[in-house]
């Protein structure tokens, strides 16, 4: 028989915490998109960082491309899953919610970095 290759599924790559990937994972799940949830350990991040766009996670791999920045990834997943509205007024309301959530998450991410990631990064440089 003929060889049939299933389309590659999306892959969300982030730390093994909710953080900036929680909304990405939830949107993909609610939208019933098949995706690989790759969770990296903090200790492995320094080795991975040079290969990442902007040296950051989360990233999304889809259709042979790698995308960075959580908010554009969220919008991409939302559109792909049919969760993003087509009406311009509803899109504006959706964008307000997305960016308000970003404003609320940023201090939490900074706090996490200062309390956990930065000391770990400093420790890894010494060895």
């Amino acid at each position: 028989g003929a060889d049939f290759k299933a389309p590659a599924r999306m892959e969300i790559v982030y730390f093994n915490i909710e953080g900036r990937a929680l909304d990405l994972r939830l949107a993909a799940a609610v939208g019933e998109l098949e995706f690989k949830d790759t969770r990296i350990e903090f200790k492995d991040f320094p080795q991975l960082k040079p290969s990442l766009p902007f040296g950051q996670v989360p990233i999304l791999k889809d259709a042979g491309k790698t995308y960075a920045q959580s908010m554009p990834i969220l919008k991409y997943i939302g559109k792909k899953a049919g969760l993003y509205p087509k009406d311009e007024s509803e899109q504006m309301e959706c964008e307000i919610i997305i960016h308000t959530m970003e404003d609320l998450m940023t201090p939490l991410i900074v706090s996490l970095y200062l309390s956990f990631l930065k000391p770990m990064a400093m420790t890894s440089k010494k060895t």
Side-chain angles (χ1 to χ4, degrees):
D3 287 336
F4 174 76
K5 265 187 140 172
R9 60 186 172 161
M10 294 187 322
E11 180 181 6
I12 297 170
V13 179
Y14 193 64
F15 298 113
N16 193 20
I17 60 171
E18 287 84 7
R20 292 194 183 269
L22 177 62
D23 49 358
L24 309 181
R25 294 171 181 144
L26 288 174
V30 168
E32 298 180 351
L33 297 177
E34 187 178 336
F35 70 99
K36 180 179 178 186
D37 186 10
T38 301
R39 297 180 183 230
I40 59 174
E41 297 300 322
F42 288 110
K43 66 179 177 54
D44 299 328
F45 182 68
Q47 273 184 287
L48 186 60
K49 186 175 179 163
S51 67
L52 299 168
F54 308 113
Q56 299 173 344
V57 287
I59 59 167
L60 175 74
K61 296 179 181 181
D62 192 30
K65 294 184 178 181
T66 300
Y67 302 101
Q69 298 296 334
S70 56
M71 292 301 103
I73 293 171
L74 180 61
K75 194 171 177 179
Y76 177 88
I77 290 171
K79 286 181 176 183
K80 192 167 185 145
L83 301 173
Y84 195 79
K86 299 206 182 326
D87 176 77
E88 288 179 359
S89 177
E90 290 176 2
Q91 286 177 8
M92 179 62 116
E93 291 175 23
C94 187
E95 290 292 319
I96 290 168
I97 292 168
I98 288 170
H99 291 282
T100 300
M101 291 305 299
E102 175 73 0
D103 289 347
L104 295 173
M105 284 295 295
T106 298
L108 295 173
I109 300 299
V110 169
S111 175
L112 173 68
Y113 173 76
L114 292 176
S115 65
F116 184 75
L117 296 178
K118 189 174 181 181
M120 187 186 69
M122 293 172 72
T123 303
S124 68
K125 287 180 183 176
K126 292 177 185 174
T127 57

